[in-house]
């Protein structure tokens, strides 16, 4: 089978709804416009869907003039985020204990988002003065994503999960950037280097999943049965790390990628070993 790109998605503000794309530029730091904005609390700590589910219902549209239009079911007015109106103020923010110097966007944006979250927050931007790298790939820039710039999952892996799970999961729960079709379940675990369109990607590690995946994307309500974490723990548990679904990648050669692109496997990796506890 020849794997192909089924869907592409970006999340302009960390933790909001994804935007599906038919094509995108893969850069060293991620797909263009992916997680370049972040909401933080008064201490500069990330505000995400893990503790603030309401943020996950914010929808975004990117316009041709590089403005970002937001809407939320609990807010009567849309918000236009315009980089031309940003302040020159900066602040240090925290993403998983990594300190990042970020640009403060402006009070009008803070007010709109604070109204939704019912607490004072600040919207910041990862601009050309911001710097962030990871310990395992200090040569690779990453914006406000949790760990690495790209998350790849496959439809076959989702089906394998749903074959075991008492509730049907949709891919939106996993917030992938590149969703793959036409491959075996968890084939992505075995890919070391791949080529999509003009871009080349290299695997770093499996993506450890958290309570965020238990939110139903259309309602932001947390499932009462702890799914899909409960089911993944039965056959996708890595000792001392947690349950995994999907693979984290970095981009080693930027380029255009498109929906429907074939995925060329340039080299393979030895996949992690999982114990299946289902008998």
């Amino acid at each position: 089978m020849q794997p192909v790109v089924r869907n592409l998605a970006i999340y302009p503000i960390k933790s909001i709804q994804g935007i599906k794309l038919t094509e995108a530029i893969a850069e060293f730091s991620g797909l263009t416009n992916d997680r370049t904005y972040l909401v933080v609390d008064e201490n500069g700590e990330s505000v995400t869907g893990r503790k603030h589910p309401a943020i996950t219902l914010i929808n975004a549209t990117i316009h041709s003039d590089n403005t970002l239009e937001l809407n939320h079911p609990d807010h009567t007015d849309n918000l236009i985020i315009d980089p031309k109106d940003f302040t020159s103020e900066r602040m240090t923010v925290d993403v998983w204990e990594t300190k990042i110097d970020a640009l403060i966007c402006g009070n009008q944006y803070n007010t709109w988002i604070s109204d939704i979250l019912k607490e004072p927050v600040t919207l910041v931007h990862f601009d050309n003065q911001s710097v962030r790298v990871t310990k395992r790939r200090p040569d690779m820039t990453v914006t406000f994503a949790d760990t690495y710039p790209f998350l790849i999952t496959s439809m076959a892996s989702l089906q394998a999960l749903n074959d075991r799970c008492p509730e049907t999961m949709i891919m939106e729960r996993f917030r992938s950037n590149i969703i793959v079709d036409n491959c075996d379940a968890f084939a992505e675990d075995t890919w070391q280097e791949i080529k999509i369109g003009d871009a080349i990607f290299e695997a770093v590690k499996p993506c450890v999943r958290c309570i965020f995946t238990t939110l139903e994307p259309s309602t932001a309500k947390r499932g009462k049965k702890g799914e899909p974490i409960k089911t993944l723990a039965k056959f996708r548990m890595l000792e001392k790390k947690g349950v995994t679904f999907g693979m984290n990648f970095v981009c080693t050669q930027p380029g255009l990628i498109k929906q429907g692109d074939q995925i060329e496997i340039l080299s393979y990796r030895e996949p992690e070993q999982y114990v299946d506890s289902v008998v």
Side-chain angles (χ1 to χ4, degrees):
M1 291 188 292
Q2 181 72 52
V4 298
V5 175
R6 179 187 177 102
N7 286 312
L8 301 168
I10 60 171
Y11 306 83
I13 303 175
K14 187 177 178 70
S15 280
I16 72 167
Q17 293 269 318
I19 299 176
K20 290 185 177 180
L21 305 173
T22 57
E23 61 179 50
I25 299 294
E27 305 178 55
F28 292 127
S29 58
L31 295 181
T32 301
N33 294 318
D34 186 46
R35 296 176 175 94
T36 56
Y37 292 94
L38 176 70
V39 178
V40 297
D41 63 18
E42 292 179 302
N43 298 315
E45 300 284 340
S46 304
V47 172
T48 71
R50 293 175 182 84
K51 293 184 179 180
H52 298 80
I55 196 174
T56 68
L57 295 182
I58 295 176
N59 280 281
T61 301
I62 298 177
H63 296 298
S64 58
D65 60 357
N66 203 35
T67 59
L68 189 65
E69 183 171 359
L70 307 184
N71 68 79
H72 188 279
D74 295 335
H75 209 294
T76 56
D77 299 320
N78 288 4
L79 176 70
I80 303 294
I81 299 175
D82 189 345
K84 295 192 299 293
D85 294 335
F86 287 173
T87 73
S88 58
E89 300 176 70
R90 308 188 69 82
M91 69 180 294
T92 300
V93 301
D94 188 291
V95 177
W96 292 109
E97 299 182 351
T98 299
K99 304 299 182 183
I100 308 166
D101 177 53
L103 179 69
I104 298 174
C105 297
N107 287 332
Q108 66 271 41
Y109 312 122
N110 302 340
T111 299
W112 192 89
I113 301 173
S114 296
D115 185 52
I116 290 170
L117 300 183
K118 311 302 181 188
E119 68 173 81
V121 295
T122 300
L123 180 69
V124 299
H125 181 53
F126 193 101
D127 66 358
N128 56 14
Q129 294 184 48
S130 302
V131 178
R132 183 191 177 203
V133 297
T134 61
K135 291 181 180 178
R136 289 184 62 172
R137 290 304 299 260
D139 55 327
M140 292 290 175
T141 299
V142 58
T143 56
F144 293 129
D146 273 358
T147 51
Y148 293 93
F150 297 90
L151 174 61
I152 297 180
T153 58
S154 74
M155 294 304 297
S157 301
L158 180 66
Q159 185 59 56
L161 168 61
N162 282 329
D163 287 344
R164 296 166 176 257
C165 192
E167 301 176 27
T168 300
M169 299 291 115
I170 60 175
M171 192 62 85
E172 284 76 6
R173 285 186 182 243
F174 299 100
R175 306 179 73 79
S176 320
N177 300 112
I178 302 172
I179 301 169
V180 179
D181 215 346
N182 203 36
C183 68
D184 293 332
F186 304 108
E188 60 270 30
D189 289 356
T190 70
W191 300 340
Q192 181 59 45
E193 191 174 36
I194 62 176
K195 188 173 188 292
I196 306 175
D198 300 324
I200 295 177
F201 303 86
E202 183 178 308
V204 181
K205 68 180 187 65
C207 183
V208 177
R209 312 315 304 225
C210 68
I211 194 173
F212 200 169
T213 60
T214 66
L215 289 183
E216 212 296 313
S218 64
T219 64
K221 300 294 184 183
R222 200 175 304 284
K224 296 181 180 179
K225 298 181 180 179
E227 296 294 356
I229 297 297
K230 185 176 180 180
T231 295
L232 285 171
K234 296 177 180 179
F235 74 114
R236 294 287 298 179
M237 174 68 78
L238 284 181
E239 188 177 357
K240 297 181 181 180
K241 294 182 180 179
V243 300
T244 75
F245 188 89
M247 285 291 294
N248 290 125
F249 281 76
V250 294
C251 177
T252 58
Q253 176 179 294
L256 176 68
I257 63 176
K258 298 180 180 179
Q259 189 177 46
D261 276 349
Q262 292 189 341
I263 299 173
E264 182 182 355
I265 315 302
L266 301 179
S267 64
Y268 290 87
R269 66 189 294 274
E270 188 67 30
E272 287 70 18
Q273 297 300 305
Y274 296 90
V275 176
D276 193 334
S277 64
V278 178
V279 295

